[in-house]
Amino acid sequence: MTQRLAILGSTGSIGVNALDVVSRLPKGSFRITALSADSNIKLLAEQARRFRPKIVSVGSEELAVKIKRLLPSGIKISVNREGLCETVSRSDVDIVLFAISGSSCLEPLVKAIKNKKRIALANKESLVSGGAVVMKLARKNGVRMIPIDSEHSAIFQCLDGKRALARKIYLTGSGGPLLDIPKKRFDTMPQEAILNHPKWRMGRKITVDSATMMNKGLEIIEAKWLFEACESSIEVLVHPEAIVHSMVEFVDGSIIAQLGVPDMRIPIQYALTYPSRIATRMPRLDFSVTTSLSFRSPDIDKFPCLGLAREALKKGSTHPAVLNAADEEAVRCYLEGGIRFTAIPKIIEKVLGRHRSPKAGSLSLDNITEAEEWAKEEARSLCYH
Ligand code: MG
């Protein structure tokens, strides 16, 4: 049976890879019903001409007018967050792939879960900030959340439904572009060097997050919610080769790992075809080239974001949402040239220190959104004081 797919964020790096995956899968197995982009209407229109969705969604009325001229007739255009919410509620959508970055994904994600769509989730921020609410809702609606983040796809594959028998999660990370650079040189590194990740081609925000290792910190929180794991059972391992995408230790001492070349198309395809695996021409690991794999513990002093993420997770409530929102603002400001690299964790730490969270148990989406807005404002005032 044909699976009908909506890709939110189809012009970003995950979205483009997802369309590539769909075009490699057997004809008729997937049909693209909806695409969305924030502002890259040129590429969105190109994708729409090729995949012929029923609806496309863009980030503003102005862009909607512009893209209308570029689209074949008969394709509906929707706008903004309401447009995304409309898209994920359509009866001709079976799977929603969330490839939008940032926390703006939360509302359409909740909507998709309420409409009982299958979720392929590449957006980690929605779980970091809203994990408690989102996972509760997913359980209530019997909705399966299949992770696309490579580490979480690996953990999902290693667990293979045996969550109750798992004892520990080893979350691996390449260590990013600054792994072997002394901390005192961080602020002298040009932005191009920070944005040049050694193993993965990704968007700018997540690449900076890899350099600060906040990406791994956010992934600890993401893993907590996806796999109902406690903070202390998730250990981060630096693995510069980026071949082992994560591992799970079971109660009997066995450790299962998932390996593969660092190519996002592999976890994207798995999320779409789960529980099946389908033969497609993906790059394959060659052990005559990859002859050694190494692991080490991360340096917490050099990468304080890891500690900040663990702190926020332990405090719970809206602290992870604040961590994430403050990081979004600090990274934006860094990319605009407004602050030094090492100011990113300092700003996040200050914002977290000032945060007063609502009482545990009374957490709602409104609390989360409010905390995020507050954190962004605080971070902005620290960035541009
Ligand atoms: Mg990842």
Side-chain angles (χ1 to χ4, degrees), residues 180-196:
D180 294 318
I181 307 283
K183 193 175 182 177
K184 58 176 188 294
R185 281 189 48 211
F186 280 7
D187 285 334
T188 66
M189 299 289 290
Q191 222 173 67
E192 305 85 75
I194 303 275
L195 289 172
N196 186 22

Side-chain angles (χ1 to χ4, degrees), residues 96-172:
V96 185
L97 194 158
F98 285 88
I100 305 172
S101 72
S103 47
S104 58
C105 186
L106 196 51
E107 201 185 323
L109 175 61
V110 163
K111 194 91 183 169
I113 293 172
K114 284 184 176 164
N115 279 285
K116 298 189 167 49
K117 305 299 182 189
R118 181 164 147 179
I119 311 286
L121 189 66
N123 173 289
K124 64 189 74 174
E125 292 89 344
S126 52
L127 282 184
V128 169
S129 54
V133 178
V134 168
M135 296 311 289
K136 197 172 155 194
L137 204 60
R139 272 192 301 276
K140 192 179 140 200
N141 286 282
V143 165
R144 209 135 206 182
M145 312 265 285
I146 319 285
I148 285 180
D149 205 351
S150 60
E151 295 78 3
H152 303 77
S153 172
I155 297 163
F156 185 79
Q157 295 181 58
C158 294
L159 284 171
D160 198 22
K162 298 182 185 69
R163 168 66 193 88
L165 300 173
R167 187 160 60 187
K168 186 169 187 171
I169 289 172
Y170 287 102
L171 190 65
T172 58

Side-chain angles (χ1 to χ4, degrees), residues 102-104 123-126 128-129 205 209 214 218 221 312 318-330 348 352 372 375-376:
S103 47
S104 58
N123 173 289
K124 64 189 74 174
E125 292 89 344
S126 52
V128 169
S129 54
K205 195 260 176 184
D209 280 344
M214 179 56 98
L218 298 177
I221 304 174
T318 44
H319 282 91
V322 165
L323 171 93
N324 179 58
D327 176 60
E328 256 181 59
E329 277 308 308
I348 300 166
L352 276 171
E372 280 175 342
K376 284 187 182 177

Side-chain angles (χ1 to χ4, degrees), residues 5-315:
L5 178 64
I7 300 179
L8 307 193
S10 62
T11 59
S13 120
I14 297 282
V16 167
N17 275 318
L19 286 171
D20 182 63
V21 166
V22 169
S23 66
R24 286 160 186 261
L25 288 167
K27 253 198 158 21
S29 55
F30 284 87
R31 155 108 174 77
I32 303 289
T33 309
L35 295 172
S36 95
D38 181 43
S39 58
N40 190 351
I41 54 168
K42 194 169 162 266
L43 180 55
L44 181 63
E46 229 169 81
Q47 294 174 337
R49 285 193 295 269
R50 181 163 173 218
F51 290 94
R52 299 289 169 136
K54 298 255 171 67
I55 181 168
V56 300
S57 188
V58 292
S60 73
E61 294 287 353
E62 210 184 322
L63 290 167
V65 173
K66 278 191 188 155
I67 199 172
K68 194 167 174 32
R69 278 178 258 140
L70 305 172
L71 289 179
S73 60
I75 297 180
K76 191 176 176 195
I77 303 167
S78 71
V79 179
N80 279 330
R81 214 173 286 187
E82 302 81 67
L84 297 180
C85 288
E86 181 193 338
T87 296
V88 302
S89 310
R90 288 173 68 98
S91 60
D92 57 4
V93 169
D94 305 307
I95 306 178
V96 185
L97 194 158
F98 285 88
I100 305 172
S101 72
S103 47
S104 58
C105 186
L106 196 51
E107 201 185 323
L109 175 61
V110 163
K111 194 91 183 169
I113 293 172
K114 284 184 176 164
N115 279 285
K116 298 189 167 49
K117 305 299 182 189
R118 181 164 147 179
I119 311 286
L121 189 66
N123 173 289
K124 64 189 74 174
E125 292 89 344
S126 52
L127 282 184
V128 169
S129 54
V133 178
V134 168
M135 296 311 289
K136 197 172 155 194
L137 204 60
R139 272 192 301 276
K140 192 179 140 200
N141 286 282
V143 165
R144 209 135 206 182
M145 312 265 285
I146 319 285
I148 285 180
D149 205 351
S150 60
E151 295 78 3
H152 303 77
S153 172
I155 297 163
F156 185 79
Q157 295 181 58
C158 294
L159 284 171
D160 198 22
K162 298 182 185 69
R163 168 66 193 88
L165 300 173
R167 187 160 60 187
K168 186 169 187 171
I169 289 172
Y170 287 102
L171 190 65
T172 58
S174 69
L178 298 178
L179 181 62
D180 294 318
I181 307 283
K183 193 175 182 177
K184 58 176 188 294
R185 281 189 48 211
F186 280 7
D187 285 334
T188 66
M189 299 289 290
Q191 222 173 67
E192 305 85 75
I194 303 275
L195 289 172
N196 186 22
H197 195 279
K199 292 291 173 190
W200 297 96
R201 290 282 147 265
M202 307 176 287
R204 283 156 59 89
K205 195 260 176 184
I206 186 172
T207 306
V208 176
D209 280 344
S210 293
T212 60
M213 286 197 81
M214 179 56 98
N215 184 48
K216 217 41 63 183
L218 298 177
E219 287 180 353
I220 296 173
I221 304 174
E222 186 186 4
K224 183 231 149 64
W225 292 115
L226 279 170
F227 309 115
E228 294 179 64
C230 66
E231 182 268 330
S232 59
S233 71
I234 307 167
E235 183 172 335
V236 171
L237 283 179
V238 172
H239 168 51
E241 296 85 358
I243 296 296
V244 174
H245 299 306
S246 277
M247 305 183 268
V248 173
E249 184 186 276
F250 288 89
V251 287
D252 60 357
S254 267
I255 295 177
I256 310 273
Q258 188 260 347
L259 287 73
V261 290
D263 186 319
M264 284 311 293
R265 290 174 301 178
I266 297 173
I268 292 169
Q269 179 177 317
Y270 185 74
L272 294 180
T273 64
Y274 171 84
S276 288
R277 292 185 187 271
I278 292 180
T280 48
R281 266 200 270 168
M282 287 291 172
R284 290 162 83 166
L285 191 55
D286 179 354
F287 281 106
S288 68
V289 179
T290 302
T291 52
S292 67
L293 301 172
S294 64
F295 302 93
R296 56 180 128 149
S297 293
D299 183 339
I300 304 286
D301 294 327
K302 201 166 146 182
F303 299 105
C305 285
L306 274 176
L308 293 174
R310 284 201 186 272
E311 251 339 281
L313 179 54
K314 278 191 241 172
K315 283 190 177 155

